[in-house]
Amino acid sequence: MTETTQRPPKQTSRGTIIAVTLGLLLVGMMVATTSKVGKRAMAKWQVEDQNAPNVALVNVRTNKRISTQDFHGKVVLLDFWATWCPPCRKQMPAIEKIATDPTLADKVEVLSINTDEIEPARRAKVRKYLNQYKYTMTTLLDDGRASRAYHVFSIPTLVVIDKKGNVHSLEHGVHSEERLREIIDEASQL
């Protein structure tokens, strides 16, 4: 029979445990704030139920500045989108129906906010896109300020501002016309 010698178990230093724990917490926070789900949660946490940030952007058709605060007393639907975005294109007909619905004209304002890359041909490209599909909704060109103010990390993103000027909801992804009407109804009742 041979005798074997076992080494005593190696002691882990307290400093190592603390460093590993802090490292794991840091990685967890980074994942939570950079993942799609984390960004969505952070955006809602930072914006919903707060006063809506006022941004003034240029109307692609008239070249006049329009401010989100110009519509206090109405529900305002902000639709952040881009011409190259397939989900945005899918949602645009529903946004147009809401924007042109005569029964909503007195209580809802739709502001379509284009987030295409800022370049010299942008205005013409966005106008061409709107004309091609016969979209008449008010369309504004975001210079980055609106996206930052509303914590828009992905498109399409919808922000609904209630009649009192507070952010009622911030939602990502494609929404049906029925869902848009539900969100508007909820914001109208506040």
Side-chain angles (χ1 to χ4, degrees):
M1 199 186 273
T2 46
E3 219 172 280
T4 58
T5 326
Q6 290 188 353
R7 286 198 226 172
K10 191 174 184 177
Q11 295 286 327
T12 305
S13 74
R14 186 177 199 180
T16 303
I17 293 172
I18 291 172
V20 169
T21 302
L22 289 175
L24 289 172
L25 284 172
L26 181 62
V27 169
M29 287 174 52
M30 287 172 50
V31 168
T33 59
T34 58
S35 71
K36 212 175 209 181
V37 172
K39 283 180 181 178
R40 197 172 305 147
M42 290 299 292
K44 285 185 175 196
W45 176 76
Q46 293 173 347
V47 177
E48 281 187 351
D49 300 322
Q50 303 294 317
N51 287 332
N54 182 38
V55 290
L57 302 172
V58 175
N59 184 319
V60 71
R61 291 184 181 97
T62 66
N63 207 30
K64 292 182 180 174
R65 284 203 173 275
I66 295 179
S67 169
T68 52
Q69 288 186 344
D70 292 344
F71 307 103
H72 194 72
K74 280 184 153 183
V75 171
V76 180
L77 172 67
L78 305 178
D79 174 36
F80 289 86
W81 66 282
T83 57
W84 52 263
C85 167
C88 300
R89 288 174 174 239
K90 183 177 180 181
Q91 182 170 263
M92 292 292 279
I95 299 292
E96 177 72 9
K97 284 183 182 177
I98 298 293
T100 58
D101 184 337
T103 65
L104 297 176
D106 292 338
K107 59 182 178 177
V108 178
E109 189 66 36
V110 174
L111 299 177
S112 164
I113 301 179
N114 176 268
T115 62
D116 278 19
E117 186 176 328
I118 299 170
E119 61 182 347
R122 178 185 183 195
R123 178 185 301 273
K125 178 171 68 174
V126 173
R127 280 177 153 167
K128 180 180 177 184
Y129 175 83
L130 296 170
N131 290 338
Q132 179 182 353
Y133 294 100
K134 297 179 177 47
Y135 293 136
T136 61
M137 67 194 87
T138 301
T139 301
L140 310 176
L141 298 174
D142 187 14
D143 56 9
R145 287 181 291 154
S147 293
R148 282 191 302 276
Y150 286 96
H151 306 280
V152 175
F153 297 106
S154 63
I155 53 174
T157 293
L158 294 171
V159 177
V160 178
I161 302 170
D162 67 25
K163 295 182 288 187
K164 297 175 189 169
N166 297 315
V167 176
H168 170 70
S169 66
L170 184 147
E171 299 195 16
H172 302 275
V174 177
H175 295 77
S176 67
E177 181 184 349
E178 292 75 28
R179 177 64 185 140
L180 293 173
R181 290 180 184 279
E182 287 172 11
I183 298 167
I184 290 167
D185 283 344
E186 291 168 8
S188 297
Q189 295 174 16
L190 298 175

